[in-house]
Amino acid sequence: MKIIRRNLPLVVTAAIFAALFGAAGVCYDGFFSVRVATSLLADNAFLGIAAIGMTLVIFSGGIDLSIGAVVGFTSIFTATLVSGHGVPPAVAWLLALALGAALGAAMGTLIHVFKLPPFLITLAGMFFARGMAFALNTESVGITHPLYEKLSNFDFALGERVHLPAAALLFFGVVLIGYLIAHHLRFGRTLLAIGGNEQSALLMGLPVGAAKIGVYALNGFLAALAGIVATLYTGSGNPVMGVGLELDAIAIVVIGGTLLTGGRGHLLGTLLGVLIFGTIQSAILFDGRLSSWWMRILVGALLLSFILLQRWLVRGLARRG
Amino acid sequence: MKNPDSRPRRPVSPLVWLVAGLALLVLLNLTKNPAFLRVTWHDGHLFGTPIDILTQGSRTMLLALGMTLVIATGGVDLSVGSVCAITGAVCALTLQHGQSLAVTLAAAIGVGAAAGLANGLLVARLGIQPIVATLILMVAGRGIAQLVTDGQVLIIKHAAFEFLATGFVLGAPFAPLAVGALYLVSHAALRRTAAGLFIEAVGDNETASRFAGLAAARVKVLAYVFCGICAGLTGVLIAANIGAADGNRAGENAELDAIFAVVVGGTALTGGRFTLLGSLLGALLIQTLTTTMYNLGVAPAVAPVPKALVIVGVSLLQSEKFRALVARAWRREGRSGA
Amino acid sequence: MSDEPLLQLRGITKRFLGVTALDGVDFTLRAGEIHALLGENGAGKSTLIKVLTGVHAPDAGTITLTGKRIAPASPKDAEQAGLSTVYQEVNLIPALSVAENIVLGRQPGRFGFVNWLAVRRHARKALARLEIDCDVDAELGSLSVALQQMVAIARALDLRAKLLILDEPTASLDEKEVAELFGIMCRLRADGLGIVFVTHFLDQVYAISDRLTVLRNGQLVGEFPTASLPRLALVGKMLGRDVSDESGRPASASTATKNAAATVLEARGLGRRGAVHPFDLTLRRGEVTGLAGLLGSGRTETARLLFGIDRADTGELYLHAQRAALPSPRNAVRLGLAFCSEDRKREGILPNLSVRENLIIALQAKRGGARSLARAEQEKLCAHYTAALRIKTADAETPIKNLSGGNQQKVLLARWLATQPELIILDEPTRGIDVGARAEIEALIAQLRADGLAVLFISSEIEEIVRTCSRVLVMRERRLAEEVSTADLTPGRLMQAMAGAHEES
């Protein structure tokens, strides 16, 4: 009982996922299939990776609007290097990851050192990354490279008919690492403490500045990783890739039970959030009669109910205290 | 030598910076294209790049008007772009059903006001952070817009409606004139009544305002409603401009441009003092920037890069820490020079 | 109790922008002792603690801990030296677990990983030492404030602390919780820890402390064994008055009360749980009613109830004998009330707005927003009050944040006078402002009485209250304890009431 009460948002999220998935399975023939489940993961892998980074930033009480643009920039950057200049993919990836982390660190520094609003600075980061993406190329660039072929055909056989594509594996890896960071590393605990009360965190002697800058850098890194996964998934780089991705990521984080004002949440909630997001998407596809825009309306409705639920939970706590 | 920060100096009006920035951009353009500022008379109306900038910029200006008040209360409204999409879709529908232009405009204003009211109630009554509260409608709104248009781009064939965005009155473009008129009306309404003062008071220190007898929550709700109405009317302009309602794309990134215009215009994101004229000029600056990029042969899609630099620059100028740092460096310079 | 001092402060001096907050203060703490640190507002208690905990560096003086000179540069530094602090506002993270709050920043584990088993074990041990029974996995925010306070103590002690500073730990605890806290303090004392105990509650000082040190206006008044200093003498030391002080009051104040004067506001049984015990109160026209009491006695809470900032959960309020509901300050303003808050910065000024706007805002709010006051009228009001209250400002358009504290206060007074209220509540209107402005504000209050306003005047300054009030209500421990009428109004009598008369005379 205690464990359930303590993790109420997480439990609610899990229940919603189970209900949605179950309902979709009952309504649509063939929904309960390995193919649906794996594609649900593979289709949302890059969104999921970005959402993990966003979760950590939101834990610290910040927000990052730039990730969608970083995904776009990374994809066209990688494609340009690999296809245009013959750079080996591994080198291009390393460069892209370094750039993503550097942009994140720069934004984190501005936010922490000059006490500027994260919203505004990452908005600037978004403009910057998107603009630079278009400066590289305004068109989509296809990537043809043996390594890309190999990776996009790669899958990991879990059983006879169960194959996990590389993107899904990578997503699981990031979830695992994110979980370790958030719940088992001092860094992650410091982030939650900062999001809970930055002043107290300072008085407790926690390394507030380093953690804040670090989390934006990590988020930039993960956004770049998401961008690389996106090039694997589509086999091309495109400067418009990831438009609006930051909104989906924020929505997923909130649906995953994380408090948008920071300081409270569970990283595995974000995994559930991605699954809910993917289930709604697949169900709408399966239905055929429901149009794609119901996706946004449902996500909005889920957002509203979660924010109200959190409001209610936090108020309840405040009253008791 | 005088100590530079011994006495608080009166800050330079942000409008001066804006005008200087605009002038700089115009100069840059003139070196590339000496005819940049030329306005001619053509087909019975004015014609030229400045006219284009005004016409194209009028939509961001309109959004920025409403956004200014919300930001002045210490909030922000992320949903305006989605609201634009919804009202555009609603307009297309009412016109298709043979309703008059007046009914259509009333519907647009009504939809905008309702959206603003929803945002305002979430923020002021339930105490939800503005970014969070308006994110909901930002996400859901685009879906609602597509629901209204059934996912299609609805073509609008209605001369009077299109006139709103593309028409000319006595040779002058109608949209900027209408936005200008709305600015004058809002300015008068805010400064003739105490509404402007109340908004600034609530944004500057909400607790103190409440203790002085202000209905802070109501002031905030009304600011969001006004912002919603402006977004609704912007949706009309967008739909009229392209002669179609596109639930998916209409008003994309419009909220970001509006926030940019307001911040660059000199209204701080922390709330308090606001200037509507600054926001209008900020919107004009964005549009000029985009046009300049085009003139310089840079793809317009790259225009966000200078925008980003302007945002960072303006934020740093507003940061106390940065100013203290600069002041210290300045003093050290002065001492070593002496 | 050993005589070897654990902590010794000698000649600590601290100045802020020319204002001397601490002037050569000495302080000695012995091991195994609970030492109360007392003083009214501006006495320098919090500055002294901030110097101790490394928040401020002293301009002069030395700190010696167990015979070694130390100079803590940050709270972390101080903690490592063995000086731990628990603040009134629990400075922990409510959303994290009890165990984590105890170890945060020094979690056991390797390579940046947290060993959760060790964390729990450690936390259980830390709590067991204090004999606190609570689930270490519970979310801190779900505990009562008292338990949170004890977790904070457990965290502080976890650092092998030699010395514990408790800064107003009992401010939001009820009696039972205070007793539990005292139990813990006694146990720690028995363990040989030195405890600095900052509080406003005299009962608690006498209940637990061995010794006490009194500060006033940044200077050391003295150190006394608690048992040998009578309560009244202590209050006298805190307020800087001689107990037998019967010194006079100006004749003008005593003649003003007329019992026949119309009642403006009457409270019957008004109260709010956790803030003020139910009280009765009558405020009349042409009368300055003082509200006295030591810091934390519930004066401001009373004012907030009357002005509708906090909702009363019992009792009724009558305005001109009519039952009135005050759900918000807005209603209060419309009904002719005015409230000048003690927290000028957070609850008073609109910092970036001009003097003119700050001055007219309440009047404008009272009249409604539909029509702005004519600019000419605004300027007339400004000119009138700038002259009448001698507000020093470059012009009416200067942002109020550029004015000195005294002038800001005068603008706020003008803000309320402009609404022509029937009742004005002044909460510490002279705090933090210079002597000249203080005299002017006192003169103004006399003028208001002559004009027929009802004034409720809250102050910590005994002289000020005696000089300006017609009668004084005294609060003790969140209770309206006593009324001192015109005839008895002397500083000595007032101090007796503030200290709690039952012990004395």
Side-chain angles (χ1 to χ4, degrees), chain A residues 2 6 180 183-187 189-190 192-193 196-197 199-201 203-206 263-264 317 320-321, chain C residues 75-76 91-93 95-96 100-101 104-107 111-114 116 135 137-139 141-143 145 155:
Chain A
K2 257 191 200 163
R6 238 165 249 162
L180 286 177
H183 299 285
H184 290 280
L185 275 184
R186 287 179 183 207
F187 172 59
R189 305 319 289 170
T190 303
L192 277 163
N197 186 339
Q199 201 52 41
S200 292
L203 276 175
M204 287 170 127
L206 297 175
R264 191 187 290 270
L317 276 179
R320 246 185 302 160
Chain C
K76 202 171 181 177
N91 269 297
L92 299 178
I93 315 288
L96 300 182
E100 190 160 15
N101 268 293
L104 206 58
R106 43 173 197 268
Q107 298 101 321
F111 314 118
F113 277 88
V114 178
W116 285 109
D135 177 6
D137 292 322
E139 203 175 283
S142 70
L143 306 181
V145 179
R155 175 185 167 84

Side-chain angles (χ1 to χ4, degrees), chain B residues 5-338:
Chain B
D5 53 5
S6 61
R7 170 181 285 268
R9 265 178 305 176
R10 214 158 267 228
V12 186
S13 162
L15 296 186
V16 175
W17 292 105
L18 273 171
V19 172
L22 270 172
L24 203 72
L25 277 179
V26 168
L27 275 177
L28 191 66
N29 277 294
L30 283 175
T31 58
K32 279 273 169 190
N33 172 14
F36 180 73
L37 281 181
R38 186 182 302 154
V39 175
T40 55
W41 188 265
H42 208 275
D43 288 340
H45 60 74
L46 293 169
F47 193 85
T49 316
I51 302 298
D52 283 347
I53 292 179
L54 279 174
T55 311
Q56 295 301 318
S58 57
R59 296 184 288 274
T60 308
M61 288 187 200
L62 182 51
L63 270 188
L65 278 186
M67 188 67 83
T68 308
L69 296 195
V70 166
I71 289 183
T73 64
V76 72
D77 187 350
L78 296 181
S79 72
V80 290
S82 294
V83 173
C84 288
I86 302 178
T87 52
V90 168
C91 286
L93 224 57
T94 51
L95 289 174
Q96 275 185 349
H97 284 78
Q99 297 291 348
S100 69
L101 188 64
V103 172
T104 306
L105 284 178
I109 290 174
V111 167
L117 186 65
N119 286 330
L121 290 178
L122 283 176
V123 171
R125 296 285 172 202
L126 290 179
I128 295 172
Q129 258 196 331
I131 294 183
V132 182
T134 56
L135 178 73
I136 298 168
L137 194 55
M138 182 186 190
V139 171
R142 224 157 260 292
I144 295 172
Q146 284 171 284
L147 183 68
V148 174
T149 62
D150 204 22
Q152 288 173 341
V153 177
L154 295 182
I155 305 296
I156 300 172
K157 283 222 160 74
H158 192 285
F161 185 74
E162 283 173 40
F163 175 85
L164 296 175
T166 55
F168 289 85
V169 176
L170 300 174
F174 176 75
L177 282 182
V179 173
L182 185 68
Y183 157 70
L184 289 177
V185 171
S186 338
H187 181 79
L190 288 166
R191 299 303 178 186
R192 281 289 161 83
T193 71
L197 175 62
F198 285 3
I199 289 172
E200 290 184 336
V202 168
D204 203 36
N205 185 342
E206 190 176 336
T207 312
S209 306
R210 232 165 9 91
F211 285 13
L214 286 187
R218 192 177 308 164
V219 169
K220 282 187 177 176
V221 171
L222 289 178
Y224 281 92
V225 169
F226 177 74
C227 185
I229 291 174
C230 285
L233 290 174
T234 310
V236 170
L237 283 187
I238 292 172
N241 187 47
I242 57 170
D246 181 347
N248 196 24
R249 300 293 305 276
E252 215 174 28
N253 284 345
E255 61 283 339
L256 303 181
D257 278 346
I259 294 167
F260 172 89
V262 174
V263 172
V264 172
T267 303
L269 266 188
T270 43
R273 282 266 184 242
F274 69 86
T275 147
L276 287 178
L277 187 60
S279 302
L280 286 191
L281 288 177
L284 202 60
L285 187 76
I286 299 189
Q287 191 58 47
T288 315
L289 202 64
T290 312
T291 310
T292 308
M293 300 294 275
Y294 190 76
N295 280 357
L296 294 179
V298 184
V302 184
V305 174
K307 269 192 219 173
L309 300 180
V310 172
I311 293 184
V312 172
V314 170
S315 324
L316 282 178
L317 280 178
Q318 288 176 357
S319 152
E320 307 235 334
K321 188 97 180 260
F322 181 76
R323 279 193 287 195
L325 218 66
V326 171
R328 212 182 311 152
W330 185 262
R331 241 173 307 162
R332 199 173 304 142
E333 192 90 341
R335 210 174 299 139
S336 64

Side-chain angles (χ1 to χ4, degrees), chain A residues 57 64 97 100-108 211-223:
Chain A
V57 170
D64 190 346
L97 291 173
L103 178 68
M107 293 190 298
K212 269 170 83 182
I213 295 170
V215 78
Y216 282 98
L218 177 64
N219 189 39
F221 178 89
L222 286 176

Side-chain angles (χ1 to χ4, degrees), chain C residues 466-485:
Chain C
V466 171
R467 272 200 304 272
T468 39
C469 297
S470 336
R471 65 189 181 114
V472 179
L473 304 166
V474 179
M475 299 199 72
R476 253 187 343 252
E477 328 260 305
R478 304 188 185 280
R479 211 180 281 279
L480 202 58
E482 216 172 313
E483 175 169 344
V484 180
S485 61

